[in-house]
Short mmCIF file of all heavy atoms in Angstrom, two decimals:
data_model
loop_
_atom_site.label_atom_id
_atom_site.label_comp_id
_atom_site.label_asym_id
_atom_site.label_seq_id
_atom_site.Cartn_x
_atom_site.Cartn_y
_atom_site.Cartn_z
N GLY A 13 0.79 -1.23 0.00
CA GLY A 13 0.00 0.00 0.00
C GLY A 13 0.82 1.27 0.00
O GLY A 13 0.26 2.36 -0.14
N SER A 14 2.16 1.18 0.13
CA SER A 14 2.97 2.40 0.16
C SER A 14 3.07 2.98 -1.25
O SER A 14 3.04 2.25 -2.25
CB SER A 14 4.37 2.11 0.70
OG SER A 14 5.10 1.32 -0.22
N ILE A 15 3.21 4.30 -1.33
CA ILE A 15 3.31 4.98 -2.62
C ILE A 15 4.53 4.47 -3.39
O ILE A 15 4.46 4.22 -4.60
CB ILE A 15 3.39 6.51 -2.42
CG1 ILE A 15 2.06 7.03 -1.86
CG2 ILE A 15 3.72 7.20 -3.74
CD1 ILE A 15 2.08 8.50 -1.52
N ALA A 16 5.65 4.30 -2.69
CA ALA A 16 6.88 3.87 -3.35
C ALA A 16 6.72 2.48 -3.96
O ALA A 16 7.17 2.24 -5.09
CB ALA A 16 8.03 3.86 -2.34
N GLU A 17 6.06 1.56 -3.23
CA GLU A 17 5.89 0.20 -3.73
C GLU A 17 4.96 0.17 -4.93
O GLU A 17 5.24 -0.49 -5.94
CB GLU A 17 5.36 -0.71 -2.62
CG GLU A 17 5.28 -2.18 -3.05
CD GLU A 17 4.80 -3.08 -1.92
OE1 GLU A 17 4.58 -2.58 -0.80
OE2 GLU A 17 4.64 -4.29 -2.18
N VAL A 18 3.86 0.92 -4.84
CA VAL A 18 2.91 0.95 -5.96
C VAL A 18 3.57 1.57 -7.19
O VAL A 18 3.42 1.08 -8.31
CB VAL A 18 1.63 1.73 -5.56
CG1 VAL A 18 0.73 1.94 -6.78
CG2 VAL A 18 0.86 0.99 -4.47
N LYS A 19 4.32 2.65 -6.99
CA LYS A 19 5.01 3.31 -8.11
C LYS A 19 6.01 2.36 -8.77
O LYS A 19 6.10 2.31 -10.00
CB LYS A 19 5.73 4.57 -7.62
CG LYS A 19 6.44 5.35 -8.72
CD LYS A 19 7.08 6.60 -8.18
CE LYS A 19 7.72 7.39 -9.31
NZ LYS A 19 8.77 6.63 -10.03
N ASP A 20 6.75 1.60 -7.96
CA ASP A 20 7.73 0.66 -8.50
C ASP A 20 7.06 -0.40 -9.37
O ASP A 20 7.52 -0.71 -10.47
CB ASP A 20 8.51 0.00 -7.36
CG ASP A 20 9.54 -0.98 -7.88
OD1 ASP A 20 10.47 -0.55 -8.60
OD2 ASP A 20 9.41 -2.18 -7.57
N ILE A 21 5.93 -0.94 -8.90
CA ILE A 21 5.19 -1.95 -9.66
C ILE A 21 4.66 -1.36 -10.96
O ILE A 21 4.76 -1.97 -12.04
CB ILE A 21 4.04 -2.53 -8.82
CG1 ILE A 21 4.62 -3.35 -7.66
CG2 ILE A 21 3.11 -3.38 -9.67
CD1 ILE A 21 3.58 -3.79 -6.65
N LEU A 22 4.10 -0.15 -10.87
CA LEU A 22 3.55 0.50 -12.07
C LEU A 22 4.65 0.76 -13.10
O LEU A 22 4.44 0.54 -14.30
CB LEU A 22 2.86 1.81 -11.69
CG LEU A 22 1.59 1.69 -10.84
CD1 LEU A 22 1.05 3.08 -10.51
CD2 LEU A 22 0.53 0.89 -11.58
N ASP A 23 5.81 1.19 -12.64
CA ASP A 23 6.92 1.45 -13.57
C ASP A 23 7.32 0.17 -14.29
O ASP A 23 7.55 0.17 -15.51
CB ASP A 23 8.12 2.01 -12.80
CG ASP A 23 7.92 3.44 -12.34
OD1 ASP A 23 7.01 4.10 -12.89
OD2 ASP A 23 8.64 3.89 -11.43
N ARG A 24 7.38 -0.95 -13.56
CA ARG A 24 7.79 -2.22 -14.16
C ARG A 24 6.74 -2.72 -15.15
O ARG A 24 7.06 -3.24 -16.22
CB ARG A 24 8.05 -3.26 -13.08
CG ARG A 24 9.37 -3.04 -12.36
CD ARG A 24 9.73 -4.19 -11.42
NE ARG A 24 9.00 -4.12 -10.17
CZ ARG A 24 8.11 -5.00 -9.75
NH1 ARG A 24 7.80 -6.04 -10.51
NH2 ARG A 24 7.51 -4.86 -8.59
N LEU A 25 5.47 -2.55 -14.79
CA LEU A 25 4.40 -3.01 -15.67
C LEU A 25 4.31 -2.17 -16.93
O LEU A 25 4.04 -2.69 -18.02
CB LEU A 25 3.07 -2.99 -14.93
CG LEU A 25 2.86 -4.07 -13.86
CD1 LEU A 25 1.52 -3.87 -13.15
CD2 LEU A 25 2.92 -5.46 -14.47
N VAL A 26 4.52 -0.89 -16.80
CA VAL A 26 4.45 0.00 -17.96
C VAL A 26 5.47 -0.41 -19.02
O VAL A 26 5.19 -0.41 -20.22
CB VAL A 26 4.67 1.48 -17.54
CG1 VAL A 26 4.97 2.34 -18.77
CG2 VAL A 26 3.45 2.01 -16.81
N HIS A 27 6.65 -0.81 -18.58
CA HIS A 27 7.71 -1.18 -19.52
C HIS A 27 7.49 -2.56 -20.15
O HIS A 27 8.01 -2.84 -21.22
CB HIS A 27 9.07 -1.15 -18.81
CG HIS A 27 9.55 0.24 -18.51
ND1 HIS A 27 9.48 0.81 -17.26
CD2 HIS A 27 10.08 1.19 -19.32
CE1 HIS A 27 9.96 2.03 -17.29
NE2 HIS A 27 10.34 2.29 -18.54
N SER A 28 6.73 -3.41 -19.47
CA SER A 28 6.55 -4.78 -19.99
C SER A 28 5.19 -4.99 -20.63
O SER A 28 4.99 -6.00 -21.31
CB SER A 28 6.73 -5.79 -18.84
OG SER A 28 5.74 -5.59 -17.84
N ALA A 29 4.26 -4.08 -20.46
CA ALA A 29 2.91 -4.26 -20.98
C ALA A 29 2.84 -4.04 -22.49
O ALA A 29 3.57 -3.21 -23.04
CB ALA A 29 1.95 -3.30 -20.27
N ASP A 30 1.96 -4.79 -23.15
CA ASP A 30 1.75 -4.62 -24.59
C ASP A 30 0.77 -3.48 -24.83
O ASP A 30 0.04 -3.04 -23.94
CB ASP A 30 1.18 -5.91 -25.19
CG ASP A 30 2.17 -7.07 -25.08
OD1 ASP A 30 3.39 -6.81 -25.09
OD2 ASP A 30 1.69 -8.22 -24.97
N ALA A 31 0.72 -3.04 -26.07
CA ALA A 31 -0.23 -2.00 -26.45
C ALA A 31 -1.65 -2.50 -26.22
O ALA A 31 -1.97 -3.65 -26.49
CB ALA A 31 -0.02 -1.63 -27.92
N GLY A 32 -2.49 -1.64 -25.74
CA GLY A 32 -3.89 -2.00 -25.49
C GLY A 32 -4.14 -2.46 -24.08
O GLY A 32 -5.30 -2.55 -23.65
N MET A 33 -3.08 -2.79 -23.36
CA MET A 33 -3.25 -3.19 -21.96
C MET A 33 -3.44 -1.97 -21.08
O MET A 33 -3.01 -0.86 -21.41
CB MET A 33 -2.04 -3.99 -21.47
CG MET A 33 -1.93 -5.37 -22.08
SD MET A 33 -0.58 -6.31 -21.34
CE MET A 33 -0.77 -7.88 -22.19
N ARG A 34 -4.09 -2.18 -19.93
CA ARG A 34 -4.26 -1.08 -18.99
C ARG A 34 -4.07 -1.58 -17.56
O ARG A 34 -4.17 -2.77 -17.29
CB ARG A 34 -5.63 -0.41 -19.15
CG ARG A 34 -6.81 -1.24 -18.75
CD ARG A 34 -8.11 -0.49 -19.05
NE ARG A 34 -9.28 -1.21 -18.57
CZ ARG A 34 -9.76 -1.11 -17.34
NH1 ARG A 34 -9.16 -0.33 -16.45
NH2 ARG A 34 -10.81 -1.80 -16.97
N ILE A 35 -3.80 -0.65 -16.69
CA ILE A 35 -3.51 -0.96 -15.29
C ILE A 35 -4.57 -0.33 -14.40
O ILE A 35 -5.01 0.81 -14.64
CB ILE A 35 -2.11 -0.44 -14.90
CG1 ILE A 35 -1.03 -1.23 -15.65
CG2 ILE A 35 -1.89 -0.54 -13.39
CD1 ILE A 35 0.36 -0.62 -15.51
N SER A 36 -5.01 -1.06 -13.38
CA SER A 36 -5.95 -0.51 -12.40
C SER A 36 -5.50 -0.91 -11.01
O SER A 36 -4.74 -1.86 -10.83
CB SER A 36 -7.37 -1.00 -12.67
OG SER A 36 -7.44 -2.42 -12.56
N ILE A 37 -5.96 -0.17 -10.01
CA ILE A 37 -5.63 -0.44 -8.61
C ILE A 37 -6.93 -0.58 -7.83
O ILE A 37 -7.84 0.22 -7.99
CB ILE A 37 -4.78 0.70 -8.01
CG1 ILE A 37 -3.48 0.86 -8.79
CG2 ILE A 37 -4.46 0.42 -6.53
CD1 ILE A 37 -2.64 2.04 -8.34
N ARG A 38 -7.02 -1.64 -7.01
CA ARG A 38 -8.22 -1.85 -6.22
C ARG A 38 -7.86 -2.30 -4.82
O ARG A 38 -6.74 -2.69 -4.54
CB ARG A 38 -9.12 -2.92 -6.88
CG ARG A 38 -8.47 -4.29 -6.97
CD ARG A 38 -9.47 -5.34 -7.38
NE ARG A 38 -8.84 -6.65 -7.61
CZ ARG A 38 -8.50 -7.49 -6.66
NH1 ARG A 38 -8.70 -7.18 -5.36
NH2 ARG A 38 -7.95 -8.67 -6.94
N ARG A 39 -8.86 -2.22 -3.93
CA ARG A 39 -8.69 -2.72 -2.58
C ARG A 39 -8.74 -4.24 -2.59
O ARG A 39 -9.35 -4.85 -3.48
CB ARG A 39 -9.80 -2.19 -1.68
CG ARG A 39 -9.80 -0.69 -1.50
CD ARG A 39 -8.61 -0.22 -0.68
NE ARG A 39 -8.67 -0.73 0.69
CZ ARG A 39 -7.66 -0.71 1.54
NH1 ARG A 39 -6.49 -0.23 1.15
NH2 ARG A 39 -7.80 -1.18 2.77
N PRO A 40 -8.12 -4.91 -1.63
CA PRO A 40 -8.18 -6.38 -1.57
C PRO A 40 -9.61 -6.87 -1.39
O PRO A 40 -10.45 -6.20 -0.76
CB PRO A 40 -7.34 -6.72 -0.33
CG PRO A 40 -6.45 -5.54 -0.12
CD PRO A 40 -7.26 -4.35 -0.57
N SER A 41 -9.92 -8.03 -1.96
CA SER A 41 -11.22 -8.66 -1.83
C SER A 41 -11.08 -9.95 -1.03
O SER A 41 -9.97 -10.40 -0.74
CB SER A 41 -11.79 -8.99 -3.22
OG SER A 41 -11.01 -10.00 -3.83
N LEU A 42 -12.21 -10.58 -0.72
CA LEU A 42 -12.15 -11.87 -0.03
C LEU A 42 -11.52 -12.94 -0.93
O LEU A 42 -10.97 -13.91 -0.43
CB LEU A 42 -13.54 -12.31 0.40
CG LEU A 42 -14.06 -11.71 1.70
CD1 LEU A 42 -15.43 -12.30 2.04
CD2 LEU A 42 -13.10 -11.96 2.85
N ASP A 43 -11.60 -12.75 -2.25
CA ASP A 43 -10.92 -13.68 -3.16
C ASP A 43 -9.42 -13.69 -2.87
O ASP A 43 -8.78 -14.75 -2.81
CB ASP A 43 -11.13 -13.25 -4.63
CG ASP A 43 -12.56 -13.28 -5.06
OD1 ASP A 43 -13.39 -12.69 -4.34
OD2 ASP A 43 -12.85 -13.87 -6.10
N ASP A 44 -8.84 -12.49 -2.68
CA ASP A 44 -7.42 -12.38 -2.39
C ASP A 44 -7.09 -13.03 -1.04
O ASP A 44 -6.06 -13.70 -0.89
CB ASP A 44 -7.00 -10.91 -2.36
CG ASP A 44 -7.31 -10.19 -3.66
OD1 ASP A 44 -6.95 -10.71 -4.73
OD2 ASP A 44 -7.94 -9.12 -3.61
N VAL A 45 -7.98 -12.82 -0.07
CA VAL A 45 -7.78 -13.42 1.26
C VAL A 45 -7.78 -14.94 1.15
O VAL A 45 -6.91 -15.62 1.69
CB VAL A 45 -8.88 -12.96 2.24
CG1 VAL A 45 -8.73 -13.68 3.57
CG2 VAL A 45 -8.84 -11.46 2.44
N PHE A 46 -8.78 -15.47 0.45
CA PHE A 46 -8.92 -16.92 0.32
C PHE A 46 -7.69 -17.53 -0.34
O PHE A 46 -7.16 -18.54 0.12
CB PHE A 46 -10.18 -17.23 -0.48
CG PHE A 46 -10.60 -18.67 -0.43
CD1 PHE A 46 -11.38 -19.14 0.62
CD2 PHE A 46 -10.22 -19.56 -1.42
CE1 PHE A 46 -11.77 -20.46 0.68
CE2 PHE A 46 -10.60 -20.89 -1.36
CZ PHE A 46 -11.39 -21.34 -0.30
N LEU A 47 -7.23 -16.91 -1.40
CA LEU A 47 -6.05 -17.41 -2.10
C LEU A 47 -4.80 -17.33 -1.22
O LEU A 47 -4.01 -18.27 -1.15
CB LEU A 47 -5.82 -16.62 -3.39
CG LEU A 47 -4.61 -17.01 -4.24
CD1 LEU A 47 -4.70 -18.46 -4.66
CD2 LEU A 47 -4.50 -16.10 -5.44
N ALA A 48 -4.65 -16.22 -0.49
CA ALA A 48 -3.46 -16.04 0.35
C ALA A 48 -3.43 -17.03 1.51
O ALA A 48 -2.37 -17.53 1.88
CB ALA A 48 -3.43 -14.61 0.89
N LEU A 49 -4.60 -17.34 2.06
CA LEU A 49 -4.66 -18.19 3.25
C LEU A 49 -4.66 -19.68 2.93
O LEU A 49 -4.16 -20.49 3.71
CB LEU A 49 -5.91 -17.85 4.07
CG LEU A 49 -5.92 -16.47 4.74
CD1 LEU A 49 -7.27 -16.20 5.37
CD2 LEU A 49 -4.81 -16.36 5.78
N THR A 50 -5.26 -20.07 1.81
CA THR A 50 -5.42 -21.49 1.51
C THR A 50 -4.58 -21.95 0.34
O THR A 50 -4.43 -23.17 0.13
CB THR A 50 -6.89 -21.82 1.20
OG1 THR A 50 -7.26 -21.22 -0.05
CG2 THR A 50 -7.82 -21.31 2.29
N GLY A 51 -4.07 -21.01 -0.46
CA GLY A 51 -3.30 -21.39 -1.64
C GLY A 51 -4.16 -21.91 -2.75
O GLY A 51 -3.69 -22.48 -3.73
N GLU A 52 -5.51 -21.72 -2.62
CA GLU A 52 -6.45 -22.19 -3.65
C GLU A 52 -7.32 -21.05 -4.11
O GLU A 52 -7.62 -20.13 -3.37
CB GLU A 52 -7.33 -23.32 -3.10
CG GLU A 52 -6.55 -24.52 -2.64
CD GLU A 52 -7.44 -25.73 -2.46
OE1 GLU A 52 -8.51 -25.77 -3.13
OE2 GLU A 52 -7.10 -26.62 -1.68
N GLU A 53 -7.75 -21.14 -5.39
CA GLU A 53 -8.70 -20.17 -5.90
C GLU A 53 -10.03 -20.41 -5.24
O GLU A 53 -10.32 -21.48 -4.72
CB GLU A 53 -8.84 -20.30 -7.42
CG GLU A 53 -7.56 -20.07 -8.19
CD GLU A 53 -7.13 -18.62 -8.19
OE1 GLU A 53 -7.93 -17.75 -7.77
OE2 GLU A 53 -5.99 -18.34 -8.60
N LYS A 54 -10.90 -19.40 -5.24
CA LYS A 54 -12.26 -19.61 -4.72
C LYS A 54 -12.92 -20.72 -5.52
O LYS A 54 -12.66 -20.91 -6.71
CB LYS A 54 -13.08 -18.31 -4.81
CG LYS A 54 -13.22 -17.76 -6.23
CD LYS A 54 -14.02 -16.48 -6.20
CE LYS A 54 -14.12 -15.91 -7.62
NZ LYS A 54 -14.95 -14.71 -7.69
N GLU A 55 -13.81 -21.46 -4.89
CA GLU A 55 -14.34 -22.67 -5.48
C GLU A 55 -15.39 -22.43 -6.56
O GLU A 55 -15.49 -23.13 -7.54
CB GLU A 55 -14.95 -23.54 -4.37
CG GLU A 55 -13.90 -23.97 -3.36
CD GLU A 55 -14.50 -24.48 -2.09
OE1 GLU A 55 -15.72 -24.73 -2.07
OE2 GLU A 55 -13.78 -24.63 -1.10
#
């Protein structure tokens, strides 16, 4: 969530992304929690 970390990720993605791709930022969801805690996608 730090500005420096987000900026670093955005810089790396901008250089590797193809034309037509776009970047968005969102808050974590329960999907992210489930994956982080169980190592599995939601069922």
